[in-house]
């Protein structure tokens, strides 16, 4: 019998070990020399190095202490020799004093304009211990412990109030996981625009507890249109091309805002659109070309322009309207008058 057990995981770096020695002649032997254990020579090794021990003559046990063990695999060996007859036994155990490690993607954003919107909250849970072996090229390899005692993943607001519980498991597994979420609470309440905290709490098989937090962003607001205006209100053959000068402001977690522009020729009842993007807070300009692919898309007439801002997860603003832009690029031809 022995302690710790074969292939067991132990939480402490300082461990007391014990071997219960059988009859040196074998378990089924009828020969039991009086006092054999007291006379026997004993050696105890841990990771190949002999360490001190004590004999418990009453219980036929060998007790020893292992100090300052590193995380990872270890081997304890015992050799018992009585009158030249030697038996030995070895067992491997693992020291694990490190809690599981949880990591999240850098930025997780959700638009909860509808309960049907949403995405996935992702996390990676790792719990490794070093594996050492003299035949390994690198010497040490990280090895997964495979199972957790329990794991919980949940989201809280700025006050620490629970918003939703995403995952809870006993004997959970390690790995990378994704959990569907639509930006609503467990009772169906639509969360306001803002930043929320993703919490992970894990406990491994020997009781090492770990925790981690990340950010989850509920983003249901489009970039703000700070201003948008045309460079001219009447476009002629001699004027500048029509351009819209614009600027949008985004939330801190966004770097780029977009404008979708719809041009409606109220004279010909024709319509076309264009899109442009720019860094948040930067002045930008969208210049209209009259011919696209050889087709005249901006014919003479009176135009109404609708400008909508948008982010990269399809949050859109109410339109800003610019009306009565006149395009008249047709030059007058010379008239010939015959006077009789």
């Amino acid at each position: 019998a022995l302690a710790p057990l074969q292939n067991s995981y132990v939480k402490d770096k300082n461990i007391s070990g014990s071997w219960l020695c059988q009859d040196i002649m074998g378990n089924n032997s009828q020969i039991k020399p009086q006092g054999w254990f007291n006379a026997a020579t004993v050696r105890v090794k841990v990771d190949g190095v002999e360490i001190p021990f004590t004999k418990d003559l009453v219980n036929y046990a060998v007790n020893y202490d292992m100090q300052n063990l590193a995380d990872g695999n270890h081997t304890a060996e015992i050799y018992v020799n009585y009158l030249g007859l030697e038996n030995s036994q070895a067992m491997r155990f693992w020291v694990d004093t490190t809690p599981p490690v949880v990591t999240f993607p850098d930025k997780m954003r959700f638009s909860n304009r509808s309960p049907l919107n949403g995405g996935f909250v992702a996390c990676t849970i790792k719990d490794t211990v070093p594996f050492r072996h003299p035949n390994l090229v690198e010497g040490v390899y990280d090895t997964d412990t495979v199972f957790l005692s329990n794991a919980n993943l949940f989201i809280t607001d700025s006050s620490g109030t629970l918003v939703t519980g995403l995952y809870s498991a006993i004997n959970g597994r390690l790995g990378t996981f994704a959990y569907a979420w639509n930006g609503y609470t467990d009772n169906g309440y639509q969360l306001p625009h803002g930043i929320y905290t993703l919490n992970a709490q894990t406990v491994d098989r020997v009781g090492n507890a770990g925790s981690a937090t990340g950010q989850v962003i509920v983003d249901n607001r489009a970039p703000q249109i700070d201003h948008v205006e045309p460079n001219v209100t009447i476009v002629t053959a001699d004027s500048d091309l029509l351009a819209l000068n614009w600027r949008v402001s985004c939330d801190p977690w966004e770097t780029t805002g977009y404008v979708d522009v719809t041009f409606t020729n109220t004279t010909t009842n024709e319509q076309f659109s264009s899109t442009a993007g720019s860094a948040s807070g930067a002045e930008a300009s969208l210049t209209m070309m009259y011919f696209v692919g050889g087709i005249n898309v901006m014919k003479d007439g009176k135009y109404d322009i609708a400008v909508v801002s948008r982010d990269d997860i399809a949050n859109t603003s109410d339109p800003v309207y610019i009306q009565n832009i006149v395009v008249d690029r047709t030059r007058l031809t010379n008239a010939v008058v015959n006077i009789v």
Side-chain angles (χ1 to χ4, degrees), residues 100-105 121-128 144-148 151 153 167 171-179 200 202:
V101 176
V102 182
T103 56
F104 305 108
V121 175
C123 70
T124 298
I125 306 175
K126 293 186 66 177
D127 188 36
T128 61
D144 284 333
T145 59
V146 184
F147 291 104
L148 296 171
L153 189 67
Y167 174 74
N171 296 327
R173 295 187 66 89
L174 305 174
T176 298
F177 306 95
Y179 305 98
T202 56

Side-chain angles (χ1 to χ4, degrees), residues 45-48 66 73-77 90-93:
K45 292 183 178 181
V46 174
D47 297 330
M66 296 174 284
N73 62 303
H74 297 274
T75 301
E77 302 167 275
M91 63 93 175
R92 184 175 68 182
F93 63 95

Side-chain angles (χ1 to χ4, degrees), residues 130-149:
F131 176 68
R132 303 174 184 87
H133 193 280
N135 294 334
L136 294 177
V137 175
E138 299 294 334
V140 180
Y141 286 87
D142 284 337
T143 304
D144 284 333
T145 59
V146 184
F147 291 104
L148 296 171
S149 175

Side-chain angles (χ1 to χ4, degrees), residues 307-335:
V307 182
V308 173
S309 66
R310 172 178 55 83
D311 61 17
D312 59 351
I313 58 174
N315 289 312
T316 57
S317 71
D318 292 331
V320 173
Y321 294 102
I322 302 170
Q323 296 179 314
N324 298 325
I325 300 298
V326 175
V327 176
D328 185 1
R329 300 179 61 249
T330 303
R331 295 181 182 276
L332 293 175
T333 58
N334 292 327

Side-chain angles (χ1 to χ4, degrees), residues 18-327:
S18 179
W19 298 82
L20 181 59
C21 298
Q22 303 289 341
D23 181 359
I24 193 65
M25 307 303 291
N27 292 342
N28 298 320
S29 173
Q30 300 300 312
I31 303 174
K32 299 183 183 296
Q34 185 68 28
W36 79 267
F37 185 56
N38 186 32
T41 300
V42 176
R43 291 181 298 145
V44 175
K45 292 183 178 181
V46 174
D47 297 330
V49 178
E50 288 197 27
I51 64 171
F53 60 89
T54 60
K55 283 184 180 180
D56 179 351
L57 299 179
V58 175
N59 296 305
Y60 289 78
V62 174
N63 302 316
Y64 54 95
D65 292 324
M66 296 174 284
Q67 304 290 326
N68 299 316
L69 295 173
D71 276 21
N73 62 303
H74 297 274
T75 301
E77 302 167 275
I78 186 171
Y79 300 85
V80 181
N81 186 298
Y82 176 69
L83 300 179
L85 179 63
E86 183 172 85
N87 282 341
S88 64
Q89 190 171 359
M91 63 93 175
R92 184 175 68 182
F93 63 95
W94 301 78
V95 173
D96 182 5
T97 64
T98 305
V101 176
V102 182
T103 56
F104 305 108
D106 290 338
K107 183 170 63 176
M108 290 178 281
R109 289 168 62 210
F110 298 84
S111 177
N112 64 350
R113 298 183 306 275
S114 161
L116 300 179
N117 287 93
F120 292 90
V121 175
C123 70
T124 298
I125 306 175
K126 293 186 66 177
D127 188 36
T128 61
V129 291
F131 176 68
R132 303 174 184 87
H133 193 280
N135 294 334
L136 294 177
V137 175
E138 299 294 334
V140 180
Y141 286 87
D142 284 337
T143 304
D144 284 333
T145 59
V146 184
F147 291 104
L148 296 171
S149 175
N150 58 67
N152 290 287
L153 189 67
F154 56 96
I155 296 174
T156 55
D157 62 18
S158 58
S159 69
T161 302
L162 178 67
V163 167
T164 184
L166 295 171
Y167 174 74
S168 180
I170 298 174
N171 296 327
R173 295 187 66 89
L174 305 174
T176 298
F177 306 95
Y179 305 98
W181 188 51
N182 61 2
Y184 282 65
T185 66
D186 286 339
N187 59 5
Y189 172 70
Q190 183 185 34
L191 289 172
H193 183 91
I195 298 176
Y196 296 82
T197 301
L198 177 60
N199 305 267
Q201 296 176 344
T202 56
V203 181
D204 67 16
R205 65 175 71 192
V206 293
N208 294 307
S211 62
T213 58
Q215 282 190 348
V216 175
I217 300 169
V218 173
D219 186 352
N220 50 30
R221 184 171 63 197
Q224 175 180 312
I225 299 176
D226 296 328
H227 80 85
V228 57
E229 58 184 357
N231 61 331
V232 293
T233 56
I234 299 176
V235 181
T236 67
D238 299 317
S239 71
D240 292 333
L241 296 174
L242 175 63
L244 290 181
N245 300 313
W246 58 278
R247 184 182 69 241
V248 297
S249 296
C250 303
D251 283 303
W253 51 80
E254 297 173 313
T255 59
T256 304
Y258 303 88
V259 289
D260 296 327
V261 185
T262 302
F263 297 84
T264 301
N265 188 329
T266 59
T267 304
T268 64
N269 199 30
E270 294 177 293
Q271 194 175 76
F272 66 95
S273 60
S274 186
T275 297
S278 177
S280 176
E283 296 292 338
S285 183
L286 173 62
T287 300
M288 297 311 305
M289 304 303 294
Y290 301 108
F291 288 86
V292 176
I295 299 174
N296 183 4
V297 296
M298 201 163 195
K299 300 175 182 178
D300 285 1
K302 185 178 289 187
Y303 283 82
D304 289 342
I305 303 172
V307 182
V308 173
S309 66
R310 172 178 55 83
D311 61 17
D312 59 351
I313 58 174
N315 289 312
T316 57
S317 71
D318 292 331
V320 173
Y321 294 102
I322 302 170
Q323 296 179 314
N324 298 325
I325 300 298
V326 175
V327 176

